[in-house]
């Protein structure tokens, strides 16, 4: 239920810059619309950085939703686009609902299988409430991100049940077994705990992205951490105007969120949250502290990267 990216800031910055430097992605063109109808568009990302493609597509979806009630845009030829919820949240500024999906490198093992065929394939929904409040769901369709498994491996500690399977397709608590020939389990974990539902959601994302857009899909996508080659990710962006349906959506959305937030917490818990609340709490903390806390090594890395790119460094304070 969190707006989440499975990579750190330094990993993303380093990957994007290296992709441009190596020619894995390009920076000298723009996305193009290959097919367009009143409420839909089919976009070729032309191997540009994912955020460039994502912003281009979401802007089209928003424009179409404001005119036709719904905007649905599918892209091929894209790359890693960062936080999926970033694109769905753009619709909130226009009092629209926003959705975003992307396929990813194959890291997830389907229920009853042993090979990685699907990605973590995130899905997102942002829906406006009243007075600036909103519901923002951003979730992977695997139980855990590969980065969390890697972190447990570095620390030498077991992973929880449902995170990953070994080379035989069996659930394991050994992170190394997941990383060495195994894979991530779908949201829900094993079949007896409804992991097939996460598997189905991952397929839904793949259908919207790779299959609908004629991009790479499933096991055909470039492997995680592989360098070189054409990623050709598929992505989907949707904007919906609630006013095209029953009036009063914002108030009903607000009421539903308030009902959940005002529930009596379970024993040992202090409050009930809805999707997007943890991030708002953290943003309030950041505003109060006057910035985001980063490790010294990360700050130094970003400053050296800014110097290399000849751009203004990030403003910092001790």
């Amino acid at each position: 239920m969190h707006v989440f990216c499975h990579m750190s800031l330094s990993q993303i910055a380093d990957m994007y810059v290296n992709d441009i430097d190596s020619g894995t992605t390009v920076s000298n063109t723009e996305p193009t619309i290959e097919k367009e109808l009143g409420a839909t568009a089919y976009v070729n990302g032309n191997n540009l950085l994912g955020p460039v493609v994502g912003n281009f597509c979401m802007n089209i979806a928003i424009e179409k939703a404001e005119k036709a009630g719904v905007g649905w845009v599918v892209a091929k030829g894209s790359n890693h686009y960062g936080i999926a919820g970033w694109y769905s949240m753009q619709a909130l500024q226009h009092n629209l609902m926003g959705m975003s999906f992307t396929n990813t490198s194959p890291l997830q093992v389907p229920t009853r299988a042993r090979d990685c065929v699907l990605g973590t394939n995130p899905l997102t929904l942002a829906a406006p409430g009243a007075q600036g409040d909103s519901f923002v769901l951003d979730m992977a369709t695997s139980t855990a991100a590969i980065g969390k498994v890697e972190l447990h491996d570095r620390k030498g500690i077991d992973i929880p049940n449902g995170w990953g399977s070994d080379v035989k397709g069996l659930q394991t608590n050994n992170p190394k077994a997941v990383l060495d020939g195994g894979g991530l389990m779908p949201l829900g974990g094993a079949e007896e705990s409804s992991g097939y539902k996460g598997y189905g959601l991952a397929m839904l994302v793949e259908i919207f992205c790779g299959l609908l857009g004629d991009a790479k899909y499933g096991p055909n996508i470039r492997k995680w951490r592989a360098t070189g080659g054409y990623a050709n990710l598929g992505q989907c962006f949707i904007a919906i105007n609630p006013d095209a349906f029953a009036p009063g959506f914002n108030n009903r959305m607000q009421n539903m969120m308030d009902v959940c937030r005002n529930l009596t917490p379970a024993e040992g818990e202090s409050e009930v949250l809805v999707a997007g609340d943890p991030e708002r709490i953290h943003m309030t903390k950041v505003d109060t502290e006057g910035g985001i806390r980063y490790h010294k090594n990360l700050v130094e890395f970003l400053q050296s990267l800014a110097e290399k790119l000849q751009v203004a460094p990030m403003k910092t304070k001790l």
Side-chain angles (χ1 to χ4, degrees):
M1 57 185 286
H2 308 304
V3 175
F4 173 76
C5 181
H6 66 260
M7 298 176 68
S8 70
L9 176 60
S10 61
Q11 285 177 309
I12 291 176
D14 197 34
M15 180 181 73
Y16 288 178
V17 172
N18 287 338
D19 282 352
I20 292 291
D21 284 345
S22 66
T24 301
T25 61
V26 302
S27 60
N28 60 349
T29 186
E30 297 288 337
T32 52
I33 299 175
E34 297 207 342
K35 185 185 296 184
E36 187 171 17
L37 296 174
T40 63
Y42 176 42
V43 170
N44 189 337
N46 293 319
N47 199 28
L48 286 154
L49 288 175
V52 175
V53 180
N55 288 329
F56 179 86
C57 292
M58 198 66 208
N59 285 336
I60 295 173
I62 289 170
E63 291 175 6
K64 289 184 175 296
E66 291 179 325
K67 295 177 181 177
V70 176
W72 189 304
V73 181
V74 173
K76 68 174 181 179
S78 190
N79 288 281
H80 185 283
Y81 74 173
I83 299 173
W86 164 255
Y87 306 99
S88 58
M89 290 174 65
Q90 291 180 27
L92 297 176
Q93 302 170 28
H94 302 264
N95 198 40
L96 303 173
M97 297 168 62
M99 302 181 75
S100 170
F101 313 81
T102 183
N103 62 12
T104 72
S105 298
L107 292 165
Q108 183 180 159
V109 179
T111 303
R112 299 191 181 185
R114 62 175 72 190
D115 298 319
C116 293
V117 170
L118 295 163
T120 55
N121 292 13
L123 57 87
T124 81
L125 167 66
Q131 298 179 332
D133 201 358
S134 60
F135 173 92
V136 182
L137 174 73
D138 183 342
M139 54 174 271
T141 53
S142 59
T143 300
I146 192 66
K148 289 187 176 181
V149 177
E150 292 172 335
L151 183 60
H152 278 65
D153 183 46
R154 287 196 294 271
K155 291 182 177 179
I157 56 178
D158 287 348
I159 56 174
N161 290 335
W163 277 28
S165 57
D166 61 19
V167 69
K168 296 180 180 179
L170 301 177
Q171 181 173 240
T172 181
N173 299 112
N174 181 358
K176 196 171 295 295
V178 176
L179 300 173
D180 296 340
L184 299 176
M185 298 188 80
L187 183 64
E191 184 171 2
E192 57 265 28
S193 57
S194 299
Y196 55 86
K197 295 181 180 179
Y199 169 30
L201 288 173
M203 283 289 289
L204 179 151
V205 174
E206 197 64 74
I207 292 166
F208 280 178
C209 298
L211 303 183
L212 198 57
D214 190 26
K216 290 290 181 72
Y217 59 88
N220 304 313
I221 298 175
R222 186 176 64 191
K223 297 296 186 289
W224 175 239
R225 296 196 185 284
T227 57
Y230 184 25
N232 191 14
L233 296 184
Q235 291 158 356
C236 179
F237 306 85
I238 303 171
I240 304 168
N241 186 352
D243 291 339
F245 304 94
F249 172 82
N250 296 69
N251 290 334
R252 290 192 299 276
M253 185 73 243
Q254 190 63 49
N255 176 255
M256 187 71 242
M257 291 190 292
D258 290 343
V259 166
C260 293
R261 288 166 174 156
N262 291 325
L263 291 170
T264 302
E267 185 174 347
E269 299 293 342
S270 59
E271 59 183 339
V272 179
L273 306 175
V274 300
D277 283 347
E279 291 70 35
R280 277 185 283 269
I281 293 170
H282 184 69
M283 289 166 66
T284 299
K285 178 183 177 182
V286 168
D287 290 340
T288 301
E289 295 182 349
I292 302 174
R293 294 180 181 270
Y294 286 124
H295 191 278
K296 178 183 177 183
N297 292 348
L298 176 58
V299 174
E300 291 176 351
F301 167 77
L302 293 174
Q303 288 176 331
S304 65
L305 184 61
E307 184 177 344
K308 173 185 174 183
L309 299 175
Q310 297 183 335
V311 298
M314 182 171 62
K315 294 182 179 178
T316 60
K317 66 177 184 179
L318 299 177

